[in-house]
Amino acid sequence: MRSVLFVCLGNICRSPMAEGIARKLAAGRGLSLEIDSAGTAAYHEGERADPRTREVLARHDASFDGRARQVRPSDFEAFDLILAMDRQNLADLRKRCPAAYVDKLHLMLEPVGGGDVPDPYYGGPDGFDTNHAMLVEAVSAWLDRIEA
Ligand code: 4NP
């Protein structure tokens, strides 16, 4: 079974959204995949996902029931793919990742043209809808690659 870790800054907005979407889309494809998410920072360790993330997921028949956690050193060995929501997250991961595993690190939007999934934390609810649409497209493209 393959595995993917989604990473953002706080693990309460973007990466839990990606995790909820990936769980739904992988199940819909009958794809067996281990899915988790984490943050580069520990500010929100142990907290539930932002209510705005949970609301968008619920509206799209998905959910995230986990608790925020920071990226751990063991994640770099444990996961096959580690997908960063923005270039800052990717740079932070690269600093911590053992050289043997750096090829596992990618930008979330790489298969759909690159760029960042914007941090929605200080914005309005629209940001969460925009992110959801971006993430559905990007997660689908990653699942295509995993299945190929
Ligand atoms: P996330 O969003 O990285 O998508 O979970 C954020 C959550 C919290 C903060 C920043 C971004 N914060 O500064 O606390």
Side-chain angles (χ1 to χ4, degrees):
M1 187 173 67
R2 280 158 297 184
S3 56
V4 57
L5 180 70
F6 297 103
V7 177
C8 60
L9 176 63
N11 192 213
I12 57 168
C13 298
R14 292 165 292 176
S15 62
M17 194 184 294
E19 181 179 336
I21 291 167
R23 287 187 187 283
K24 176 183 169 175
L25 296 182
R29 292 174 182 228
L31 178 63
S32 174
L33 187 66
E34 186 187 330
I35 300 162
D36 199 0
S37 62
T40 57
Y43 313 135
H44 297 279
E45 186 87 32
E47 292 179 22
R48 299 193 67 191
D50 190 286
R52 297 165 294 179
T53 284
R54 288 187 276 129
E55 189 276 327
V56 173
L57 286 172
R59 239 188 307 120
H60 293 275
D61 276 323
S63 62
F64 173 82
D65 299 318
R67 299 273 173 167
R69 72 168 180 90
Q70 190 172 23
V71 172
R72 300 188 269 261
S74 59
D75 288 328
F76 297 108
E77 184 181 2
F79 288 90
D80 300 320
L81 258 185
I82 301 173
L83 303 180
M85 294 298 141
D86 63 33
R87 283 166 284 204
Q88 184 62 54
N89 305 149
L90 185 62
D92 291 338
L93 288 169
R94 282 192 175 132
K95 281 184 220 150
R96 299 180 208 177
C97 184
Y101 304 126
V102 286
D103 290 350
K104 296 179 176 188
L105 307 178
H106 298 266
L107 265 186
M108 183 72 218
L109 298 184
E110 177 191 300
V112 292
D116 295 339
V117 180
D119 182 344
Y121 189 62
Y122 294 105
D126 286 3
F128 287 75
D129 283 306
T130 307
N131 282 0
H132 185 272
M134 290 172 116
L135 286 170
V136 167
E137 202 192 339
V139 167
S140 300
W142 279 109
L143 296 184
D144 289 346
R145 281 197 190 182
I146 290 167
E147 284 187 310

